[in-house]
Amino acid sequence: MALTSLLRLQKVCKSYRLGKEEIPVLRDVDVEVERGAYLAIMGPSGSGKSTLLHILGCLDAPTSGSYWLNGRAVHEADAAELARIRNQSIGFVFQNFNLLPRLNLAQNVELPLIYAGIAGAERKRLVQAMMERLGIWERRKHKPHEVSGGQKQRAAIARALVKTPDFILADEPTGNLDSDTTREILKLFSALHAEGHSIILITHEAEVAHAAGSMRILRDGRLLGAVEGVVEGAVEK
Ligand code: ADP
Ligand code: MG
């Protein structure tokens, strides 16, 4: 594995058992992601995006094949180790933000640091620095329902980044945002990428995928080669 490699999937297959039948969902997926990359994985509904996301996010294991993350053999990890890798290495960003409604934005951003056992003063410093970086420090005392969709997603991104994960894994991060706010969040991802963060974004929207530095298309569980420009028919609504 190259020194700069962040992660690598090799011949990853995933199938689900339906009665007596094995339904293949991912077929021989190969992908290598360099440190500092900004990769979009695009595919129509049913192509296997969520299944691939669960594997990349260490939420599920492949049926066969290997997954190396930072030189660690994720495919050999048990559930407890997967949870550890997930907490240490991956910052998740979701379509629905997944902020806790009773906590204010600062408390939401602070949560992973509490779980990580980081002391109070250091937590406050990290939360403020990250919220200032993402332009939401003024909104720190607001509850999620009191702020805009873009501000909610900024808070979720701050929460994902605050414990300096190896990469951000974003699942349809603009799926619930209007087009102006979508552009705002894509600009933010581009800025984070320029600062050296590694980002993997999963989407069915071509506009969103085009914002990334590179794009791969998932179709019928196969990851097609790197593409430039939209492939006709790759995306269905
Ligand atoms: P996408 O996120 O691109 O829409 P998914 O990864 O959710 O695709 O699903 C890909 C295929 O795998 C679909 O045909 C879906 O029905 C099937 N599938 C997903 N999860 C399961 C499961 N737990 N059991 C059986 N089939 C599944
Ligand atoms: Mg899905």
Side-chain angles (χ1 to χ4, degrees):
M1 194 154 69
L3 274 178
T4 55
S5 189
L6 168 68
L7 64 84
R8 184 153 110 182
L9 300 187
Q10 248 178 334
K11 288 202 174 303
V12 161
C13 297
K14 180 75 185 179
S15 53
Y16 293 107
R17 184 168 285 283
L18 214 66
K20 281 182 192 156
E21 249 189 302
E22 280 277 314
I23 314 279
V25 176
L26 296 179
R27 308 158 194 251
D28 287 332
V29 168
D30 285 322
V31 65
E32 182 162 8
V33 179
E34 307 275 294
R35 225 170 283 286
Y38 181 6
L39 170 69
I41 295 173
M42 189 172 83
S45 178
S47 58
K49 294 187 300 297
S50 294
T51 305
L52 180 57
L53 180 106
H54 287 138
I55 290 173
L56 285 170
C58 300
L59 293 155
D60 202 357
T63 308
S64 64
S66 51
Y67 176 9
W68 298 89
L69 173 57
N70 268 330
R72 282 163 91 175
V74 177
H75 53 280
E76 288 170 0
D78 61 19
E81 206 182 337
L82 281 182
R84 220 167 17 249
I85 297 170
R86 202 157 60 225
N87 291 331
Q88 283 170 2
S89 298
I90 307 172
F92 289 93
V93 176
F94 302 98
Q95 176 171 357
N96 296 323
F97 321 117
N98 286 15
L99 297 168
L100 294 185
R102 286 164 188 269
L103 300 185
N104 67 34
L105 295 193
Q107 291 167 326
N108 268 283
V109 174
E110 188 179 9
L111 218 48
L113 300 174
I114 294 175
Y115 290 138
I118 293 166
E122 175 69 355
R123 290 204 305 265
K124 297 282 178 277
R125 191 185 68 74
L126 291 169
V127 167
Q128 180 168 354
M130 191 52 69
M131 292 186 84
E132 282 177 351
R133 166 64 192 88
L134 295 198
I136 47 166
W137 181 240
E138 289 68 35
R139 292 281 177 273
R140 64 190 173 279
K141 294 197 172 142
H142 288 78
K143 300 274 173 64
H145 75 269
E146 297 167 338
V147 302
S148 69
Q151 288 165 338
K152 280 199 265 280
Q153 197 56 302
R154 282 172 185 269
I157 294 168
R159 180 186 55 187
L161 281 175
V162 76
K163 62 188 170 76
T164 55
D166 293 315
F167 68 102
I168 289 187
L169 188 54
D171 182 12
E172 301 279 4
T174 60
N176 279 353
L177 303 176
D178 62 44
S179 51
D180 283 348
T181 313
T182 291
R183 277 191 285 276
E184 171 201 317
I185 293 298
L186 291 178
K187 262 169 90 175
L188 174 60
F189 276 132
S190 293
L192 293 170
H193 172 230
E195 288 167 21
H197 291 285
S198 308
I199 303 168
I200 301 176
L201 185 158
I202 296 197
T203 184
H204 70 275
E205 293 176 273
E207 185 203 348
V208 174
H210 275 294
S214 57
M215 191 210 300
R216 300 282 302 269
I217 289 180
L218 190 63
R219 190 189 279 168
D220 299 330
R222 291 187 196 279
L223 200 55
L224 309 182
V227 274
E228 286 173 29
V230 186
V231 173
E232 203 67 41
V235 177
E236 299 149 13
K237 282 280 160 185

